[in-house]
Amino acid sequence: MIGTIANTLAIIVGSAVGSVAKRGLGERYQDVLFLAMGLAAVGIGINAIVTGMADSIYPVLFIASLAIGGVIGTGLDIAGRFDRFVSKRSKSKGEDEDESKVKSENNLSQGLSTAIMLFCFGALSILGPINSALNGDETYLFTNAMLDLVTSMVLASSFGFGIAFAAAVLFCWQGSIFLLANQLAPLLTTELMSEITIVGGFLVLASGLGILKVKEIPVMNLLPSIFVPPLWFAIVALVQTAGVIA
């Protein structure tokens, strides 16, 4: 868990540095960083999709995953609950102040959702805790910590210190993978990692499109999609064990 702790601290430190730097940046520079983060998220998402598809053995699984996950997420209203949790709006004191506050809250919500996608669903963030649990090797996580340090600085310079909340999500995410790694080791195949990478890539891409104002996508409602590939592979493994299919 040392690597996960280092990764978590890196995000907190990066968010603090970025939020302080934001105060000295004019609106023009903040807008440029905002757009840069959107372009970076789009690029990272596309790269993950292309990389994952090259090794995919179920070419349409990501479609089913996004569809099923989207329906579940919409039914649970994850995006709405997430927005309400982030904003914690108080009663308005005036119309102008309220408009500015709502805009700021929406930006933070968008930034947090993007941060969570970038920090949690990259290959290093998934393979890192697995490698740590099974082999005691923290290399992936330390590498990921350095990447997340820089990313959190850029995000916080655009969205503020609230980005640090993503550190708590990352700690729970990587911690859960670490604790379950030994029990799930037989299922954590290269093929499964490829399918998770594809779905994660689409989530990161959707976040980037939202930041760039190309299309507002309720990314958090798509979050359950990431759990569909593991469920599918578990079902296939159980069926094979039962001898129903070869």
Side-chain angles (χ1 to χ4, degrees):
M1 290 288 286
I2 295 176
T4 294
I5 293 172
N7 204 162
T8 302
L9 292 176
I11 293 174
I12 295 174
V13 171
S15 298
V17 173
S19 62
V20 171
K22 177 182 180 180
R23 299 171 188 172
L25 293 175
E27 186 174 348
R28 286 189 309 159
Y29 298 103
Q30 291 183 31
D31 288 342
V32 168
L33 288 173
F34 190 80
L35 293 175
M37 198 64 251
L39 288 172
V42 169
I44 292 171
I46 292 174
N47 180 68
I49 294 168
V50 173
T51 301
M53 283 187 174
D55 299 319
S56 176
I57 60 173
Y58 297 109
V60 297
L61 180 57
F62 74 91
I63 301 176
S65 299
L66 292 169
I68 295 171
V71 169
I72 294 174
T74 300
L76 296 174
D77 190 26
I78 296 176
R81 294 172 187 271
F82 182 75
D83 289 343
R84 289 190 290 273
F85 175 78
V86 171
S87 63
K88 296 181 180 178
R89 295 174 184 172
S90 57
K91 293 182 179 180
S92 61
K93 295 181 180 179
E95 187 175 348
D96 292 339
E97 180 183 349
D98 195 43
E99 274 185 22
S100 176
K101 187 177 181 181
V102 169
K103 181 179 179 181
S104 175
E105 290 167 350
N106 288 340
N107 283 344
L108 177 56
S109 176
Q110 185 180 57
L112 261 179
S113 64
T114 300
I116 291 171
M117 300 305 146
L118 288 171
F119 295 152
C120 294
F121 301 126
L124 291 176
S125 192
I126 296 173
L127 295 177
I130 294 173
N131 207 33
S132 174
L134 299 182
N135 304 316
D137 185 356
E138 308 288 348
T139 304
Y140 284 169
L141 288 174
F142 286 147
T143 302
N144 200 50
M146 295 304 298
L147 294 172
D148 288 350
L149 174 67
V150 177
T151 303
S152 59
M153 289 172 61
V154 176
L155 281 168
S157 67
S158 296
F159 301 104
F161 184 69
I163 293 299
F165 177 75
V169 179
L170 174 114
F171 182 81
C172 294
W173 170 256
Q174 290 189 356
S176 297
I177 295 176
F178 179 89
L179 294 174
L180 292 172
N182 288 318
Q183 286 73 24
L184 298 179
L187 296 176
L188 299 176
T189 61
T190 301
E191 292 78 10
L192 173 57
M193 292 297 104
S194 296
E195 302 301 336
I196 292 177
T197 298
I198 294 172
V199 177
F202 274 104
L203 296 182
V204 174
L205 174 60
S207 295
L209 293 176
I211 292 177
L212 295 174
K213 307 298 181 185
V214 175
K215 175 66 177 178
E216 293 294 333
I217 301 173
V219 179
M220 297 305 291
N221 281 347
L222 294 172
L223 193 56
S225 303
I226 206 75
F227 300 105
V228 176
L231 179 61
W232 170 253
F233 274 76
I235 292 173
V236 171
L238 287 174
V239 172
Q240 289 177 335
T241 301
V244 177
I245 60 175

